[in-house]
Amino acid sequence: MASGTALVDDAQPVDTPAAPPEQRRLVLVAYAVGFALVALCFGIDRTLGVVAGVLNVVFGIYFCRHLAFAVAAARWAERDMLAADVGLTTYTPSVAVLVGCKNEELVVDGMVTALFALDYPADRLTLVVVDDGSDDSTGARLDAWAARDPRLRVLHRPPGSGGGKSGALNDALELVDAAIAVVFDADHEPEPAALRRLVRHFRDPVVGAVMGRCVIRNGRDSQLAGTVFVDYLSGYLVNEYGRQALFELPAYGGANCAVRMSTLRSLGGWNPHTVTEDTDLTLRVLMTGQRVRYDLSAVDFEEAVVTARRFWTQRYRWARGHQKCFRDYWRPLMRSPYLSLVEKIETTLFLLVYHVPLLAGIGLLLTVLRAIDIGDLPIVGLLPLSMLLFIGPLAELSVGLLIGRVERRAAWRLIGLLPAFALSIWITTRAYLDGMLGRPYSWVKTARSGATSTIRMDAPAPLAVSTATTRGGAS
């Protein structure tokens, strides 16, 4: 633990952005003026042809990246999933499990039941759940659980406390003194061994954070939930696994994740000025000289969105936050002495993933223009890789289905990804324009249904919401 702390102390400081202005209106104006001037000088056909050629190169790069991840996962992922359980009992640092809840009455009982079932020494474990100004029965349910079992500590934040999930987690930090912080979301139900599998990686002092694998538990609830189920198979079994296997650069995912407490405190906690605190923390950890690890055997189950409206709300938040992280960090990322050139390139490609659907939308527009003989130059067809933008992710999705050993008919869910990707084009474009125009946005929780659970629950009857700040046992 001491050597891990030294790594952070000796590193160059990485400041948490203090709500930097997101507005980039002049950049948008510069894009429009630049395009108009080039089109006037060289003609609209040649200009659009060059733009199409550049897009094809970008799509080709992402195709190679997706294909490499798919090959790596197909080659090694299944073996790693079945690997021996190394270090599950020999390393048990003190752990604080933190969960933020806001209006989560439909799922909170399942989450708390799963936390109590975690296989970890009781004297080394603290459970803290934050009621973040809920106006439903969430607070009362948590107090009832705390009254029944002293292992649970409940922190009630007053309405309007601010900071979203980051603010809730930062307040919880003041209640604990542990070596490792593990975060779950309110709808998550971790497997009993998840903690042991996550924390074993911190024996390596260079590890600042560890990410586990999330599995969708309600894939049958709706067609969209089934699509998200397949998407998660690709994202966790292939994409993140590939980033770990090829570059050792997986991302801290925000839930079912662990972070070294000394690292977290040296960075000032989670950034309350971002709506994607996970991506933000990933970058800050990397730029201190530490690393993020991924363990696909550390599994927990979460609930997928079941409607298009909820999908929009969730993915808009992800896109808005991810795009902001790129704008905030790409310069310090390029100057970081702790990343090689290849690692900087891969991290940049990771940061730009929520720009790719936007570029795909531009590509579709150019295709329509070409169909009416605008922009029809040989350079458009020089690198006919546009379809590879879809083939690359399709390879990842197919490998995810194979490694996940899902039923055969689940392959039909791949069709549902086409309208989901079309919706993603609009979501990411809207998020990009809103961010560049400086339109205000704050953290918005994803609504849950609570229809499906992986465990049997015996929830206590809710009590009246406590007026005290905390309830439950001490750590």
Side-chain angles (χ1 to χ4, degrees), residues 48-394:
L48 292 179
V50 171
V51 170
V54 171
L55 286 179
N56 281 329
V57 172
V58 171
F59 296 159
I61 292 172
Y62 273 94
F63 164 74
C64 293
R65 182 174 178 267
H66 287 304
L67 186 61
F69 292 167
V71 171
R75 179 67 178 85
W76 300 301
E78 189 169 17
R79 183 181 64 185
D80 285 354
M81 290 173 65
L82 302 175
D85 295 333
V86 178
L88 294 184
T89 59
T90 58
Y91 183 72
T92 54
S94 56
V95 172
V97 174
L98 311 178
V99 183
C101 297
K102 185 176 180 66
N103 295 334
E104 301 286 7
E105 63 182 1
L106 296 177
V107 294
V108 71
D109 292 327
M111 178 269 296
V112 174
T113 301
L115 295 187
F116 285 154
L118 288 170
D119 175 23
Y120 206 78
D123 61 337
R124 310 290 290 163
L125 178 63
T126 304
L127 304 175
V128 180
V129 180
V130 183
D131 168 27
D132 192 11
S134 299
D135 55 17
D136 62 2
S137 67
T138 297
R141 288 178 179 276
L142 290 174
D143 284 341
W145 279 110
R148 170 191 279 196
D149 196 318
R151 289 179 294 173
L152 180 66
R153 305 181 68 181
V154 180
L155 169 65
H156 294 284
R157 296 181 88 209
S161 296
K165 178 181 176 181
S166 295
L169 293 177
N170 285 334
D171 284 356
L173 283 180
E174 300 178 7
L175 300 179
V176 298
D177 181 18
I180 308 297
V182 178
V183 179
F184 296 105
D185 281 346
D187 63 310
H188 283 226
E189 296 175 357
E191 288 189 337
L195 282 192
R196 292 183 181 272
R197 295 182 183 279
L198 289 171
V199 303
R200 59 180 169 174
H201 297 276
F202 289 100
R203 289 176 299 180
D204 185 347
V206 79
V207 175
V210 181
M211 172 183 178
R213 177 164 63 99
C214 297
V215 178
I216 294 299
R217 66 172 185 261
N218 63 324
R220 297 180 183 274
D221 284 1
S222 73
Q223 184 174 353
L224 182 59
T227 298
V228 176
F229 168 77
V230 175
D231 182 47
Y232 268 53
L233 285 177
S234 167
Y236 283 96
L237 283 179
V238 183
N239 194 279
E240 287 301 332
Y241 180 85
R243 297 190 75 227
Q244 167 73 35
L246 300 181
F247 302 103
E248 294 189 351
L249 286 173
Y252 168 89
N256 191 26
C257 293
V259 58
R260 194 185 297 274
M261 195 70 84
S262 59
T263 301
L264 184 61
R265 294 193 188 279
S266 72
L267 294 172
W270 287 274
N271 183 2
H273 305 300
T274 180
V275 295
T276 47
E277 84 295 332
D278 46 3
T279 303
D280 181 278
L281 186 61
T282 296
L283 299 172
R284 290 190 289 143
V285 167
L286 291 177
M287 289 187 289
T288 63
Q290 293 197 318
R291 290 291 173 147
V292 180
R293 291 276 172 81
Y294 173 54
D295 191 328
L296 52 69
S297 71
V299 175
D300 86 329
F301 299 91
E302 70 171 278
E303 181 183 293
V305 293
V306 296
T307 66
R309 180 180 293 274
R310 293 178 183 179
F311 182 85
W312 171 281
T313 300
Q314 182 187 66
R315 300 302 167 109
Y316 177 89
R317 174 169 59 84
W318 293 357
R320 186 78 182 264
H322 220 83
Q323 291 166 0
K324 184 179 186 297
C325 282
F326 173 75
R327 291 191 287 269
D328 287 347
Y329 288 110
W330 74 268
R331 289 183 180 87
L333 177 70
M334 291 297 106
R335 295 193 296 264
S336 174
Y338 301 107
L339 297 173
S340 68
L341 178 60
V342 171
E343 290 169 340
K344 290 177 181 178
I345 292 173
E346 164 54 27
T347 304
T348 301
L349 292 174
F350 160 71
L351 283 176
L352 288 173
V353 293
Y354 281 97
H355 291 73
V356 173
L358 185 156
L359 297 178
I362 296 175
L364 290 174
L365 176 60
L366 293 179
T367 300
V368 172
L369 293 175
R370 187 184 180 192
I372 57 176
D373 294 329
I374 299 177
D376 188 13
L377 286 177
I379 194 169
V380 178
L382 179 62
L383 294 171
L385 301 176
S386 297
M387 286 302 296
L388 298 185
L389 177 64
F390 300 97
I391 297 175
L394 181 62

